[in-house]
Amino acid sequence: LITNLTTPTIVVTLNGIGSGATAPLAGDVVKLFNGATQVATATLTAGDISAGSVNLTTSVLAPGSLSFTATVTDTAALPNVSLASNTLVVTLDTTPPVIATPSPVSIDWGSSYSEVLPIATDAIPANPVVTPSGTVNAAKPGVYTLSYNAQDTAGNNAVQVQRTVTVAIANATAVGADGLTPLMRYALGANGPSDTVQAPVVSATSNTLVLTAVVRTDDPNLSVLGTTKTDLTSGTWTTTGVSGSPAGSGTVGDQTGVTSGQRRVYTVTTGPRTFLRLEATLAP
């Protein structure tokens, strides 16, 4: 038997078995020993006799191997003491397992995460089972935290350790053959760099330029804005003048066939020369 309780409760059975032995009676005293040291005592009640056993909670014990025996002393003028019971050997273990600190991991967006559990060490057993908790969504960039726990045979719990798993978009701003960067592909709803997405649609009237796109709405760290400028050779792209509140955020378009709010319409009033594009940024 193994326990982590420094004051364990031992059940002593009252069977009165042995040559010349008589059954214990109410008022008799049960003494519990660890080796030669008395660690608990109890005076038997009628309820104990009826139950055929008595529970004794020990004084505080030191960790290690414990050898429990019990005796019964009657109430005679010259008390009679029973023979010692059979020995109950119990290991008292109060040392918790130790889990090795796991290293952080980084994986590419759209790949998969394979769990490698850290190792826990202990006396009993030598390598307790490590239990992980938490999940990693490789389809969504971000930093994920996984926790690890372990418990030994005695019930001692290890100090929890954690690992961070970072899901990052590789070459996020490199433009592909279709004109999209991996970051923009993610912004348009892809779950991996090879996913096909619905390309934005551009239209124009005599005085407006309109860009309509189905954009991701399930990542609060992602921002997709319409920006404009009038000269591709100079100046900076700006959201000023692009529809939406705040400027550049676009307005809600026809939501047929998409999750509510995903189809956004970015509109800018045109001048002699006007350019309109989408910009995606992903906060750490």
Side-chain angles (χ1 to χ4, degrees):
L1 295 176
I2 300 176
T3 184
N4 63 353
L5 300 176
T6 57
T7 57
T9 296
I10 306 300
V11 180
V12 177
T13 301
L14 308 171
N15 51 28
I17 297 175
S19 177
T22 59
L25 301 173
D28 290 351
V29 176
V30 177
K31 296 179 181 180
L32 182 68
F33 297 86
N34 173 32
T37 303
Q38 183 177 316
V39 293
T41 183
T43 300
L44 295 176
T45 65
D48 297 328
I49 301 301
S50 176
S53 63
V54 61
N55 295 345
L56 285 89
T57 300
T58 73
S59 54
V60 176
L61 303 174
S65 180
L66 310 175
S67 298
F68 292 113
T69 57
T71 63
V72 179
T73 303
D74 65 17
T75 58
L78 294 176
N80 299 293
V81 181
S82 72
L83 295 174
S85 67
N86 292 332
T87 301
L88 174 66
V89 177
V90 176
T91 298
L92 174 55
D93 175 16
T94 59
T95 303
V98 176
I99 306 175
T101 302
S103 299
V105 173
S106 294
I107 62 172
D108 289 339
W109 166 60
S111 62
S112 61
Y113 173 69
S114 297
E115 180 63 84
V116 178
L117 294 175
I119 296 175
T121 56
D122 191 61
I124 306 173
N127 297 113
V129 174
V130 174
T131 304
S133 60
T135 58
V136 175
N137 183 0
K140 181 177 287 189
V143 178
Y144 299 84
T145 300
L146 303 179
S147 300
Y148 302 91
N149 298 279
Q151 185 181 81
D152 65 16
T153 305
N156 300 300
N157 291 308
V159 175
Q160 184 184 85
V161 299
Q162 294 182 323
R163 161 185 283 145
T164 57
V165 179
T166 301
V167 179
I169 300 177
N171 303 312
T173 58
V175 179
D178 58 0
L180 299 177
T181 66
L183 175 57
M184 182 58 70
R185 191 177 300 278
Y186 172 71
L188 296 176
N191 291 320
S194 61
D195 284 359
T196 300
V197 295
Q198 182 176 332
V201 176
V202 177
S203 61
T205 66
S206 59
N207 61 352
T208 61
L209 185 60
V210 180
L211 190 156
T212 302
V214 177
V215 300
R216 182 182 292 276
T217 58
D218 61 354
D219 188 341
N221 293 322
L222 176 69
S223 172
V224 182
L225 297 174
T227 59
T228 185
K229 66 187 306 189
T230 57
D231 187 344
L232 292 179
T233 62
S234 64
T236 57
W237 291 90
T238 177
T239 59
T240 302
V242 182
S243 61
S245 180
S249 61
T251 57
V252 177
D254 178 9
Q255 301 301 298
T256 302
V258 299
T259 301
S260 178
Q262 285 188 329
R263 183 170 284 116
R264 307 290 296 178
V265 178
Y266 305 86
T267 305
V268 63
T269 301
T270 57
R273 182 185 301 171
T274 303
F275 302 93
L276 178 64
R277 72 174 186 180
L278 286 183
E279 287 186 17
T281 55
L282 188 61

